[in-house]
Amino acid sequence: MAPRQRLNTDQRQREIVGAVLALACERGPDAITTQAIADRMGLTQGAVFRHFPDKQAIWLAVFAWVRESLSAAVEVAIGKAESPLAKIERAFLAHVAFLAENPGVARVMFHEMQYPGDSPVRTEVRAMIDSYRQRLASLFTQAKAAGELPRELDTTLAPVLFIGAVQGLVINASLSGDASAMVKRSRKLFALLLDGYRAGRRP
């Protein structure tokens, strides 16, 4: 058997994060032990702990990767749009596509959000969601200013509906076992969202 390629710490940490997200597609996050991660990668637990001090640090790295990767995907998508409303649509489609390509992300997100209380990991998740909501709220504010959405639209609630629609697609895909269906349905669902956002327009 050929020896494993020696990777630097950053590379190995990214590989560990990838292993966690892959395992999340197969089992509940509570069942993702450091031994399971090591087995998935063909390493010893000691090798895993050479790159992370404890399991909490692994989860923090997972959510940091999610935050950075989703943000990058959305920013690339909206950078190709000219109007604020087009940016919102592209952000929605990019978000759905990201989750379809990384199905383990939704599983670990739902897992962390269902528990009360505080921990460094839950704090990271909340910060990620709050930052994303603020970015979306800014886009909705711009769309209102451009006259693309009604001035009565609540820009604090509009992102909640946006994120909720994405989560609905994720749940439906989980029930059907067809992640690709998320992408296929995302355009039609955004059209329904847009009807809702415009419903309060006054003549």
Side-chain angles (χ1 to χ4, degrees):
M1 183 176 177
R4 287 181 58 87
Q5 179 182 3
R6 185 176 294 277
L7 303 178
N8 63 37
T9 294
D10 287 344
Q11 291 172 321
R12 187 65 79 197
Q13 286 179 340
R14 286 195 295 272
E15 191 179 56
I16 291 169
V17 166
V20 170
L21 292 174
L23 286 167
C25 295
E26 304 167 1
R27 63 187 76 182
D30 283 335
I32 301 177
T33 63
T34 51
Q35 185 62 61
I37 296 169
D39 291 343
R40 181 78 179 212
M41 299 175 64
L43 300 174
T44 64
Q45 282 196 74
V48 172
F49 286 124
R50 279 199 292 273
H51 301 285
F52 288 105
D54 51 38
K55 191 175 180 181
Q56 178 174 272
I58 295 175
W59 283 110
L60 285 171
V62 168
F63 288 113
W65 180 89
V66 172
R67 183 176 190 169
E68 293 167 7
S69 300
L70 176 58
S71 176
V74 168
E75 290 303 320
V76 168
I78 67 177
K80 299 176 182 177
E82 295 183 0
S83 73
L85 189 57
K87 291 178 186 292
I88 293 170
E89 180 177 12
R90 284 185 173 271
F92 184 82
L93 300 178
H95 190 159
V96 173
F98 175 80
L99 293 179
E101 292 169 6
N102 302 278
V105 168
R107 287 175 176 257
V108 296
M109 288 287 295
F110 286 146
H111 177 264
E112 284 303 320
M113 289 190 294
Q114 69 180 322
Y115 292 109
D118 289 317
S119 73
V121 176
R122 282 192 285 279
T123 297
E124 171 66 21
V125 173
R126 280 199 300 270
M128 175 174 61
I129 295 172
D130 287 344
S131 176
Y132 190 50
R133 274 197 216 135
Q134 291 171 16
R135 182 70 179 97
L136 292 173
S138 175
L139 291 177
F140 280 107
T141 299
Q142 293 170 32
K144 285 174 60 174
E148 295 180 309
L149 290 174
R151 64 182 181 275
E152 298 84 5
L153 180 68
D154 188 329
T155 54
T156 62
L157 289 178
V160 175
L161 184 59
F162 178 110
I163 296 171
V166 174
Q167 291 175 334
L169 283 173
V170 170
I171 292 171
N172 192 67
S174 178
L175 292 172
S176 68
D178 182 9
S180 65
M182 293 171 57
V183 176
K184 295 175 184 175
R185 295 172 178 170
S186 57
R187 289 186 182 278
K188 291 183 178 180
L189 183 54
F190 184 79
L192 293 176
L193 274 179
L194 189 54
D195 285 343
Y197 290 138
R198 287 174 167 163
R201 186 183 293 279
R202 295 174 184 167

